[in-house]
Amino acid sequence: LHKEEQVVKRLNKKKKSTRKRSIRVVIIPTLIAMITLPIVIVLVMNYYSTQQLLTQRIEQGEKNLATQFTTQLDWIGLEIENTINSLAEKSEFQEVAEDEEAQAFIQEELQFVLTNSMYIGNAYYAPENEEVLGTVENLASDFDASATTWYQRAVERNGALIWSKPYRDAVTGSMAMTISRAIVVDDVFYGVLAIDLDLTRMNSYLTSVQNGNTGHFFVLSESGDYLMSNDPKKIGTNIGESDLFKEATEQTGYIHDDQKIDSYYAKVSRLGMIVYGVVGEDEMANEVAATNRAALIGLVIGIIIAILSALLASRYVMTIAATLIRAFSRVKDGDLTKKITGDDLHILPNKPQFKAIRKPKEIIENSNEIRRIAFAFNEMMDHFRGMVGGIQQKSNHLMDMTHTLN
Protein backbone atom coordinates (compact mmCIF):
# COMPACT_ATOMS: atom_id res chain seq x y z
CA LEU A 1 0.00 0.00 0.00
CA HIS A 2 2.86 2.33 0.81
CA LYS A 3 4.44 1.68 -2.58
CA GLU A 4 1.14 2.40 -4.33
CA GLU A 5 0.89 5.78 -2.54
CA GLN A 6 4.43 6.63 -3.66
CA VAL A 7 3.55 5.73 -7.25
CA VAL A 8 0.42 7.93 -7.12
CA LYS A 9 2.47 10.83 -5.74
CA ARG A 10 5.07 10.43 -8.52
CA LEU A 11 2.32 10.40 -11.14
CA ASN A 12 0.75 13.54 -9.64
CA LYS A 13 4.13 15.25 -9.64
CA LYS A 14 4.64 14.23 -13.22
CA LYS A 15 1.25 15.65 -14.17
CA LYS A 16 2.07 18.90 -12.41
CA SER A 17 5.47 19.12 -14.07
CA THR A 18 3.96 18.50 -17.51
CA ARG A 19 1.18 21.04 -17.00
CA LYS A 20 1.70 24.06 -19.20
CA ARG A 21 2.30 27.33 -17.42
CA SER A 22 0.93 30.55 -18.83
CA ILE A 23 2.55 33.98 -18.64
CA ARG A 24 -0.98 35.37 -18.27
CA VAL A 25 -0.94 34.62 -14.51
CA VAL A 26 1.99 37.02 -14.24
CA ILE A 27 0.87 39.69 -16.69
CA ILE A 28 -2.68 40.21 -15.42
CA PRO A 29 -1.91 40.71 -11.68
CA THR A 30 1.17 42.79 -12.49
CA LEU A 31 -0.69 45.16 -14.81
CA ILE A 32 -3.66 45.44 -12.42
CA ALA A 33 -1.28 46.30 -9.58
CA MET A 34 0.69 48.77 -11.72
CA ILE A 35 -2.46 50.63 -12.74
CA THR A 36 -4.44 50.36 -9.48
CA LEU A 37 -1.64 51.20 -7.02
CA PRO A 38 -1.01 54.75 -8.34
CA ILE A 39 -4.77 55.37 -8.34
CA VAL A 40 -5.03 54.27 -4.72
CA ILE A 41 -2.05 56.45 -3.74
CA VAL A 42 -3.54 59.48 -5.51
CA LEU A 43 -6.97 58.89 -3.92
CA VAL A 44 -5.46 58.57 -0.43
CA MET A 45 -3.41 61.74 -0.92
CA ASN A 46 -6.47 63.53 -2.29
CA TYR A 47 -8.53 62.38 0.72
CA TYR A 48 -6.10 63.82 3.26
CA SER A 49 -5.54 66.94 1.16
CA THR A 50 -9.29 67.51 0.94
CA GLN A 51 -9.70 67.04 4.68
CA GLN A 52 -6.89 69.52 5.33
CA LEU A 53 -8.41 72.08 2.97
CA LEU A 54 -11.85 71.64 4.55
CA THR A 55 -10.36 72.04 8.03
CA GLN A 56 -8.52 75.19 6.99
CA ARG A 57 -11.65 76.60 5.36
CA ILE A 58 -13.81 75.95 8.42
CA GLU A 59 -11.21 77.27 10.85
CA GLN A 60 -10.74 80.40 8.73
CA GLY A 61 -14.51 80.96 8.59
CA GLU A 62 -14.68 80.38 12.33
CA LYS A 63 -11.90 82.93 12.86
CA ASN A 64 -13.48 85.52 10.57
CA LEU A 65 -16.88 85.34 12.26
CA ALA A 66 -15.41 85.38 15.78
CA THR A 67 -13.20 88.34 14.86
CA GLN A 68 -16.19 90.12 13.37
CA PHE A 69 -18.27 89.62 16.52
CA THR A 70 -15.33 90.59 18.74
CA THR A 71 -14.89 93.79 16.76
CA GLN A 72 -18.60 94.53 17.07
CA LEU A 73 -18.52 93.98 20.83
CA ASP A 74 -15.53 96.29 21.15
CA TRP A 75 -17.25 98.88 18.97
CA ILE A 76 -20.43 98.70 21.09
CA GLY A 77 -18.36 99.19 24.24
CA LEU A 78 -16.53 102.14 22.69
CA GLU A 79 -19.81 103.68 21.51
CA ILE A 80 -21.28 103.46 25.02
CA GLU A 81 -18.12 104.98 26.51
CA ASN A 82 -18.28 107.86 24.03
CA THR A 83 -21.98 108.31 24.79
CA ILE A 84 -21.50 108.52 28.55
CA ASN A 85 -18.52 110.86 28.14
CA SER A 86 -20.58 113.08 25.85
CA LEU A 87 -23.45 113.20 28.36
CA ALA A 88 -21.08 113.94 31.23
CA GLU A 89 -19.89 117.10 29.46
CA LYS A 90 -23.37 118.63 29.42
CA SER A 91 -23.85 121.34 32.03
CA GLU A 92 -27.41 120.23 32.86
CA PHE A 93 -25.97 117.31 34.86
CA GLN A 94 -24.49 119.89 37.23
CA GLU A 95 -27.75 121.85 37.68
CA VAL A 96 -30.23 119.07 38.29
CA ALA A 97 -30.63 119.72 42.04
CA GLU A 98 -32.30 123.13 41.64
CA ASP A 99 -33.48 123.19 38.01
CA GLU A 100 -36.56 121.28 36.86
CA GLU A 101 -35.79 122.10 33.23
CA ALA A 102 -32.39 120.46 33.66
CA GLN A 103 -34.12 117.37 35.09
CA ALA A 104 -36.46 117.21 32.08
CA PHE A 105 -33.49 117.67 29.73
CA ILE A 106 -31.56 114.85 31.40
CA GLN A 107 -34.61 112.58 31.29
CA GLU A 108 -35.03 113.30 27.57
CA GLU A 109 -31.34 112.73 26.82
CA LEU A 110 -31.27 109.40 28.65
CA GLN A 111 -34.44 108.25 26.87
CA PHE A 112 -32.86 109.21 23.53
CA VAL A 113 -29.78 107.12 24.37
CA LEU A 114 -31.98 104.12 25.18
CA THR A 115 -34.08 104.28 22.02
CA ASN A 116 -31.12 104.74 19.72
CA SER A 117 -29.25 101.59 20.72
CA MET A 118 -30.67 98.10 20.67
CA TYR A 119 -28.03 96.88 23.10
CA ILE A 120 -28.60 99.40 25.91
CA GLY A 121 -30.85 98.16 28.70
CA ASN A 122 -31.15 101.36 30.75
CA ALA A 123 -29.54 104.78 31.06
CA TYR A 124 -29.78 106.66 34.35
CA TYR A 125 -28.26 109.42 36.45
CA ALA A 126 -28.00 109.43 40.25
CA PRO A 127 -27.45 113.02 41.48
CA GLU A 128 -25.93 113.33 44.93
CA ASN A 129 -28.65 112.99 47.58
CA GLU A 130 -31.40 113.07 44.92
CA GLU A 131 -33.73 110.59 43.24
CA VAL A 132 -32.44 108.59 40.29
CA LEU A 133 -33.38 109.98 36.87
CA GLY A 134 -33.54 107.90 33.71
CA THR A 135 -35.25 105.00 31.99
CA VAL A 136 -35.37 102.57 34.90
CA GLU A 137 -38.98 101.50 35.53
CA ASN A 138 -40.60 100.36 38.79
CA LEU A 139 -37.69 101.62 40.88
CA ALA A 140 -38.38 101.35 44.62
CA SER A 141 -39.07 104.63 46.38
CA ASP A 142 -36.45 103.90 49.01
CA PHE A 143 -33.77 102.91 46.49
CA ASP A 144 -30.39 104.28 47.53
CA ALA A 145 -28.05 104.53 44.54
CA SER A 146 -25.10 105.46 46.73
CA ALA A 147 -25.18 101.98 48.26
CA THR A 148 -24.65 100.23 44.90
CA THR A 149 -21.32 98.98 43.59
CA TRP A 150 -21.51 100.88 40.30
CA TYR A 151 -22.04 104.15 42.19
CA GLN A 152 -19.32 103.61 44.76
CA ARG A 153 -16.69 102.47 42.22
CA ALA A 154 -17.44 105.46 40.00
CA VAL A 155 -16.95 107.80 42.96
CA GLU A 156 -13.64 106.08 43.73
CA ARG A 157 -12.46 106.59 40.15
CA ASN A 158 -13.28 110.32 40.43
CA GLY A 159 -14.51 110.96 36.89
CA ALA A 160 -12.93 107.99 35.10
CA LEU A 161 -15.00 105.36 33.33
CA ILE A 162 -15.52 102.05 35.11
CA TRP A 163 -17.10 98.85 33.77
CA SER A 164 -18.76 96.49 36.23
CA LYS A 165 -18.35 92.76 36.10
CA PRO A 166 -21.18 90.88 34.34
CA TYR A 167 -24.17 90.27 36.62
CA ARG A 168 -27.75 89.04 36.44
CA ASP A 169 -30.23 91.89 36.78
CA ALA A 170 -32.39 91.48 39.87
CA VAL A 171 -35.49 92.87 38.13
CA THR A 172 -35.33 91.42 34.59
CA GLY A 173 -33.14 88.38 35.25
CA SER A 174 -31.05 89.24 32.18
CA MET A 175 -27.26 89.24 32.07
CA ALA A 176 -25.92 92.80 31.98
CA MET A 177 -22.88 95.01 32.51
CA THR A 178 -22.88 98.61 33.75
CA ILE A 179 -20.55 101.41 32.78
CA SER A 180 -20.55 104.37 35.15
CA ARG A 181 -18.81 107.69 35.55
CA ALA A 182 -18.85 110.24 38.32
CA ILE A 183 -19.67 113.85 37.32
CA VAL A 184 -16.84 115.83 38.88
CA VAL A 185 -16.12 119.47 37.90
CA ASP A 186 -13.43 121.49 39.67
CA ASP A 187 -13.28 118.87 42.38
CA VAL A 188 -17.01 119.20 42.99
CA PHE A 189 -18.99 115.95 42.89
CA TYR A 190 -22.49 116.16 41.38
CA GLY A 191 -23.57 112.55 40.88
CA VAL A 192 -22.98 109.34 38.90
CA LEU A 193 -24.06 108.66 35.31
CA ALA A 194 -24.54 105.02 34.29
CA ILE A 195 -25.60 102.91 31.28
CA ASP A 196 -26.52 99.21 31.33
CA LEU A 197 -25.32 96.98 28.49
CA ASP A 198 -27.97 94.29 27.90
CA LEU A 199 -26.10 91.06 27.17
CA THR A 200 -29.32 89.15 26.52
CA ARG A 201 -30.05 91.26 23.45
CA MET A 202 -26.50 90.76 22.24
CA ASN A 203 -26.91 87.02 22.82
CA SER A 204 -29.85 87.00 20.39
CA TYR A 205 -27.58 88.34 17.67
CA LEU A 206 -24.74 85.98 18.54
CA THR A 207 -26.88 82.84 18.42
CA SER A 208 -28.27 83.88 15.02
CA VAL A 209 -24.80 83.66 13.47
CA GLN A 210 -24.21 80.23 11.90
CA ASN A 211 -20.74 78.74 12.31
CA GLY A 212 -20.49 76.13 9.57
CA ASN A 213 -23.05 73.33 9.68
CA THR A 214 -22.79 72.26 13.31
CA GLY A 215 -20.89 75.07 15.03
CA HIS A 216 -21.87 77.98 17.24
CA PHE A 217 -20.37 80.86 19.18
CA PHE A 218 -20.44 81.66 22.88
CA VAL A 219 -18.95 84.29 25.17
CA LEU A 220 -17.26 83.86 28.55
CA SER A 221 -16.28 86.41 31.13
CA GLU A 222 -12.71 86.81 32.36
CA SER A 223 -13.57 84.47 35.24
CA GLY A 224 -15.03 81.76 33.00
CA ASP A 225 -18.76 82.47 33.36
CA TYR A 226 -21.07 81.95 30.40
CA LEU A 227 -22.39 85.35 29.30
CA MET A 228 -23.84 84.39 25.94
CA SER A 229 -24.68 80.98 24.51
CA ASN A 230 -27.20 79.24 22.27
CA ASP A 231 -28.06 77.11 25.30
CA PRO A 232 -29.88 79.34 27.86
CA LYS A 233 -29.17 76.82 30.64
CA LYS A 234 -25.44 77.49 30.37
CA ILE A 235 -25.70 81.26 30.89
CA GLY A 236 -24.31 82.12 34.32
CA THR A 237 -22.54 78.79 34.81
CA ASN A 238 -18.77 78.72 35.28
CA ILE A 239 -16.23 76.64 33.31
CA GLY A 240 -13.12 78.34 34.67
CA GLU A 241 -11.46 74.98 35.34
CA SER A 242 -11.90 73.66 31.79
CA ASP A 243 -9.03 73.43 29.29
CA LEU A 244 -11.09 75.53 26.89
CA PHE A 245 -10.82 78.46 29.29
CA LYS A 246 -7.33 77.81 30.68
CA GLU A 247 -5.69 77.56 27.26
CA ALA A 248 -7.01 80.95 26.13
CA THR A 249 -3.90 82.78 27.28
CA GLU A 250 -3.26 85.02 24.27
CA GLN A 251 -5.36 87.82 22.80
CA THR A 252 -6.45 85.52 19.97
CA GLY A 253 -5.64 81.97 18.99
CA TYR A 254 -6.73 78.39 18.45
CA ILE A 255 -7.36 75.82 21.16
CA HIS A 256 -6.19 72.35 20.17
CA ASP A 257 -8.36 69.58 21.54
CA ASP A 258 -9.38 66.07 20.53
CA GLN A 259 -11.53 67.32 17.65
CA LYS A 260 -10.25 67.49 14.08
CA ILE A 261 -11.11 71.18 13.87
CA ASP A 262 -9.63 73.54 16.46
CA SER A 263 -11.73 76.06 18.37
CA TYR A 264 -10.94 79.75 17.87
CA TYR A 265 -11.09 82.43 20.54
CA ALA A 266 -10.65 86.20 20.65
CA LYS A 267 -10.67 88.49 23.68
CA VAL A 268 -12.56 91.78 24.05
CA SER A 269 -10.30 93.56 26.53
CA ARG A 270 -12.56 96.59 26.84
CA LEU A 271 -15.46 94.49 28.17
CA GLY A 272 -13.48 91.65 29.74
CA MET A 273 -15.02 89.01 27.46
CA ILE A 274 -13.75 86.04 25.46
CA VAL A 275 -15.55 85.04 22.25
CA TYR A 276 -15.31 81.37 21.24
CA GLY A 277 -16.15 79.70 17.96
CA VAL A 278 -16.56 75.92 18.03
CA VAL A 279 -17.90 73.26 15.65
CA GLY A 280 -19.22 69.74 16.15
CA GLU A 281 -17.24 66.56 15.53
CA ASP A 282 -19.34 65.78 12.45
CA GLU A 283 -18.85 69.21 10.88
CA MET A 284 -17.15 67.74 7.81
CA ALA A 285 -19.37 64.65 7.63
CA ASN A 286 -21.17 65.67 4.41
CA GLU A 287 -18.00 66.81 2.64
CA VAL A 288 -16.04 63.73 3.75
CA ALA A 289 -18.88 61.44 2.67
CA ALA A 290 -18.97 63.12 -0.76
CA THR A 291 -15.18 62.81 -1.04
CA ASN A 292 -15.33 59.13 -0.05
CA ARG A 293 -18.05 58.45 -2.63
CA ALA A 294 -16.03 60.15 -5.35
CA ALA A 295 -12.90 58.24 -4.28
CA LEU A 296 -14.77 54.93 -4.27
CA ILE A 297 -16.23 55.59 -7.73
CA GLY A 298 -12.80 56.57 -9.01
CA LEU A 299 -11.26 53.44 -7.50
CA VAL A 300 -13.90 51.17 -9.04
CA ILE A 301 -13.47 52.79 -12.44
CA GLY A 302 -9.70 52.50 -12.10
CA ILE A 303 -9.92 48.81 -11.19
CA ILE A 304 -12.24 48.14 -14.14
CA ILE A 305 -9.86 49.96 -16.50
CA ALA A 306 -6.92 48.06 -14.97
CA ILE A 307 -8.63 44.69 -15.43
CA LEU A 308 -9.64 45.46 -19.03
CA SER A 309 -6.16 46.75 -19.82
CA ALA A 310 -4.59 43.68 -18.25
CA LEU A 311 -6.89 41.35 -20.17
CA LEU A 312 -6.20 43.13 -23.47
CA ALA A 313 -2.45 43.18 -22.84
CA SER A 314 -2.37 39.53 -21.81
CA ARG A 315 -4.50 38.58 -24.82
CA TYR A 316 -2.10 40.44 -27.09
CA VAL A 317 0.92 38.69 -25.55
CA MET A 318 -0.81 35.33 -25.67
CA THR A 319 -1.81 35.93 -29.31
CA ILE A 320 1.81 36.66 -30.22
CA ALA A 321 3.04 33.64 -28.28
CA ALA A 322 0.42 31.34 -29.81
CA THR A 323 1.23 32.62 -33.30
CA LEU A 324 4.95 31.97 -32.85
CA ILE A 325 4.32 28.55 -31.32
CA ARG A 326 2.07 27.52 -34.23
CA ALA A 327 4.57 28.80 -36.75
CA PHE A 328 7.50 26.94 -35.21
CA SER A 329 5.37 23.81 -34.85
CA ARG A 330 4.58 23.92 -38.57
CA VAL A 331 8.26 24.33 -39.32
CA LYS A 332 9.08 21.46 -36.97
CA ASP A 333 6.61 19.29 -38.89
CA GLY A 334 8.43 20.11 -42.12
CA ASP A 335 6.22 22.89 -43.49
CA LEU A 336 8.69 25.47 -44.79
CA THR A 337 5.94 27.50 -46.48
CA LYS A 338 4.61 28.90 -43.22
CA LYS A 339 4.57 32.67 -42.89
CA ILE A 340 3.27 34.97 -40.15
CA THR A 341 0.72 37.48 -41.43
CA GLY A 342 -0.78 40.59 -39.85
CA ASP A 343 -4.01 38.68 -39.41
CA ASP A 344 -2.21 36.18 -37.13
CA LEU A 345 -1.18 39.00 -34.72
CA HIS A 346 -4.63 40.57 -34.33
CA ILE A 347 -6.16 40.24 -30.84
CA LEU A 348 -9.75 40.32 -32.11
CA PRO A 349 -11.27 36.97 -33.18
CA ASN A 350 -11.53 36.31 -36.89
CA LYS A 351 -15.31 36.56 -36.97
CA PRO A 352 -17.73 38.45 -39.24
CA GLN A 353 -18.91 40.85 -36.51
CA PHE A 354 -15.34 42.12 -36.05
CA LYS A 355 -14.60 42.46 -39.74
CA ALA A 356 -15.20 46.23 -39.83
CA ILE A 357 -12.62 46.98 -37.12
CA ARG A 358 -10.32 44.03 -37.70
CA LYS A 359 -7.86 45.47 -40.20
CA PRO A 360 -4.55 43.63 -40.00
CA LYS A 361 -1.43 45.54 -40.88
CA GLU A 362 1.17 44.32 -43.31
CA ILE A 363 4.28 42.63 -41.87
CA ILE A 364 7.14 44.91 -42.87
CA GLU A 365 10.59 45.65 -41.51
CA ASN A 366 9.83 49.25 -40.50
CA SER A 367 7.19 48.43 -37.89
CA ASN A 368 6.97 47.79 -34.16
CA GLU A 369 9.11 45.21 -32.37
CA ILE A 370 6.52 42.42 -32.57
CA ARG A 371 6.02 42.81 -36.31
CA ARG A 372 9.79 43.01 -36.83
CA ILE A 373 10.06 39.60 -35.11
CA ALA A 374 7.40 38.25 -37.49
CA PHE A 375 9.24 39.87 -40.42
CA ALA A 376 12.52 38.24 -39.29
CA PHE A 377 10.74 34.87 -39.03
CA ASN A 378 9.33 35.20 -42.53
CA GLU A 379 12.74 36.14 -43.91
CA MET A 380 14.29 33.19 -42.07
CA MET A 381 11.72 30.86 -43.66
CA ASP A 382 12.46 32.35 -47.10
CA HIS A 383 16.17 31.62 -46.59
CA PHE A 384 15.36 28.12 -45.37
CA ARG A 385 13.24 27.42 -48.43
CA GLY A 386 15.95 28.79 -50.69
CA MET A 387 18.61 26.75 -48.94
CA VAL A 388 16.52 23.55 -49.00
CA GLY A 389 15.63 24.21 -52.64
CA GLY A 390 19.31 24.61 -53.48
CA ILE A 391 20.14 21.39 -51.67
CA GLN A 392 17.39 19.57 -53.57
CA GLN A 393 18.68 20.90 -56.90
CA LYS A 394 22.23 19.81 -56.08
CA SER A 395 20.93 16.46 -54.91
CA ASN A 396 18.97 15.95 -58.14
CA HIS A 397 21.98 17.03 -60.17
CA LEU A 398 24.12 14.51 -58.29
CA MET A 399 21.57 11.80 -58.91
CA ASP A 400 21.55 12.56 -62.62
CA MET A 401 25.32 12.37 -62.75
CA THR A 402 25.23 9.03 -60.95
CA HIS A 403 22.73 7.59 -63.48
CA THR A 404 24.89 8.88 -66.34
CA LEU A 405 28.00 7.24 -64.96
CA ASN A 406 26.15 3.95 -64.56
Side-chain angles (χ1 to χ4, degrees):
L1 181 63
H2 181 67
K3 290 182 179 180
E4 290 179 357
E5 289 179 352
Q6 289 181 339
V7 170
V8 170
K9 287 182 180 180
R10 283 199 295 270
L11 289 174
N12 289 335
K13 286 182 180 180
K14 188 175 182 180
K15 287 181 180 179
K16 289 181 181 179
S17 63
T18 56
R19 186 180 299 167
K20 294 181 180 180
R21 297 179 180 180
S22 174
I23 196 173
R24 180 176 294 178
V25 297
V26 177
I27 294 176
I28 293 178
T30 302
L31 287 178
I32 291 176
M34 289 176 63
I35 297 174
T36 306
L37 188 60
I39 294 175
V40 172
I41 293 173
V42 170
L43 289 177
V44 171
M45 292 176 63
N46 183 65
Y47 173 79
Y48 286 106
S49 176
T50 301
Q51 274 207 328
Q52 186 177 6
L53 289 174
L54 286 172
T55 301
Q56 291 176 353
R57 187 199 71 190
I58 294 170
E59 288 181 349
Q60 187 61 43
E62 190 177 71
K63 177 181 178 181
N64 292 341
L65 289 172
T67 301
Q68 178 183 341
F69 190 70
T70 301
T71 303
Q72 187 169 2
L73 283 175
D74 188 70
W75 179 83
I76 290 171
L78 177 61
E79 183 184 29
I80 294 175
E81 289 179 359
N82 292 336
T83 299
I84 203 169
N85 282 330
S86 177
L87 291 172
E89 298 300 323
K90 297 182 183 297
S91 60
E92 285 80 2
F93 286 88
Q94 304 166 25
E95 304 167 359
V96 65
E98 59 276 341
D99 191 344
E100 292 184 359
E101 290 186 3
Q103 293 180 8
F105 175 82
I106 291 173
Q107 190 71 32
E108 184 180 341
E109 284 292 308
L110 295 177
Q111 187 63 44
F112 177 80
V113 169
L114 176 64
T115 56
N116 279 273
S117 176
M118 63 181 295
Y119 300 117
I120 291 179
N122 279 301
Y124 43 95
Y125 176 54
E128 187 178 23
N129 300 322
E130 298 286 342
E131 291 184 358
V132 175
L133 303 174
T135 62
V136 182
E137 298 178 355
N138 303 321
L139 193 63
S141 57
D142 59 346
F143 176 74
D144 183 9
S146 62
T148 60
T149 303
W150 58 267
Y151 188 100
Q152 294 172 355
R153 294 187 67 192
V155 172
E156 292 173 2
R157 296 294 296 269
N158 195 32
L161 294 173
I162 180 71
W163 281 97
S164 72
K165 292 183 178 180
Y167 64 92
R168 191 176 291 277
D169 190 275
V171 178
T172 63
S174 301
M175 295 298 296
M177 292 178 66
T178 299
I179 182 173
S180 56
R181 174 184 168 175
I183 307 298
V184 181
V185 180
D186 297 330
D187 294 328
V188 178
F189 172 73
Y190 292 94
V192 175
L193 184 61
I195 296 177
D196 291 341
L197 177 61
D198 192 335
L199 300 183
T200 302
R201 296 178 184 176
M202 299 180 69
N203 186 55
S204 299
Y205 167 75
L206 177 69
T207 54
S208 68
V209 178
Q210 183 68 28
N211 181 20
N213 298 319
T214 62
H216 62 279
F217 294 94
F218 61 89
V219 179
L220 300 181
S221 68
E222 289 181 332
S223 58
D225 295 319
Y226 270 99
L227 302 180
M228 305 179 208
S229 173
N230 61 348
D231 185 358
K233 295 180 181 178
K234 290 183 177 180
I235 295 178
T237 60
N238 187 279
I239 59 168
E241 295 301 318
S242 67
D243 293 336
L244 192 68
F245 178 77
K246 289 181 177 180
E247 292 183 16
T249 56
E250 305 294 332
Q251 189 66 24
T252 61
Y254 287 97
I255 294 176
H256 308 285
D257 49 22
D258 295 333
Q259 294 190 171
K260 295 180 180 179
I261 302 175
D262 297 332
S263 301
Y264 182 80
Y265 72 90
K267 294 184 178 181
V268 187
S269 301
R270 187 186 304 277
L271 301 178
M273 298 179 180
I274 309 174
V275 179
Y276 288 87
V278 297
V279 295
E281 293 183 359
D282 56 346
E283 172 65 26
M284 298 189 299
N286 293 334
E287 291 86 349
V288 170
T291 302
N292 290 341
R293 283 195 299 271
L296 182 60
I297 293 171
L299 181 60
V300 170
I301 293 173
I303 291 174
I304 292 173
I305 293 174
I307 292 173
L308 292 176
S309 300
L311 290 174
L312 288 174
S314 65
R315 182 176 177 80
Y316 186 55
V317 172
M318 295 303 294
T319 299
I320 296 169
T323 298
L324 292 175
I325 290 170
R326 285 195 301 269
F328 282 112
S329 295
R330 293 273 297 276
V331 173
K332 182 188 70 172
D333 294 336
D335 184 4
L336 300 182
T337 62
K338 175 61 182 173
K339 279 194 173 185
I340 298 175
T341 64
D343 194 60
D344 295 330
L345 299 176
H346 211 291
I347 62 174
L348 292 176
N350 189 13
K351 294 183 179 180
Q353 56 265 36
F354 298 108
K355 189 175 181 180
I357 57 176
R358 197 175 187 277
K359 297 179 179 180
K361 294 182 180 179
E362 185 182 356
I363 301 298
I364 57 176
E365 185 176 6
N366 297 325
S367 186
N368 59 42
E369 288 81 357
I370 302 301
R371 295 182 182 278
R372 286 206 296 271
I373 292 174
F375 179 80
F377 175 84
N378 292 341
E379 277 201 327
M380 179 187 70
M381 294 310 300
D382 289 339
H383 286 300
F384 278 171
R385 284 195 300 273
M387 184 174 62
V388 172
I391 292 173
Q392 286 180 343
Q393 286 181 359
K394 290 180 180 179
S395 176
N396 291 335
H397 180 68
L398 184 59
M399 292 289 294
D400 292 340
M401 290 179 62
T402 303
H403 287 298
T404 303
L405 291 174
N406 290 334

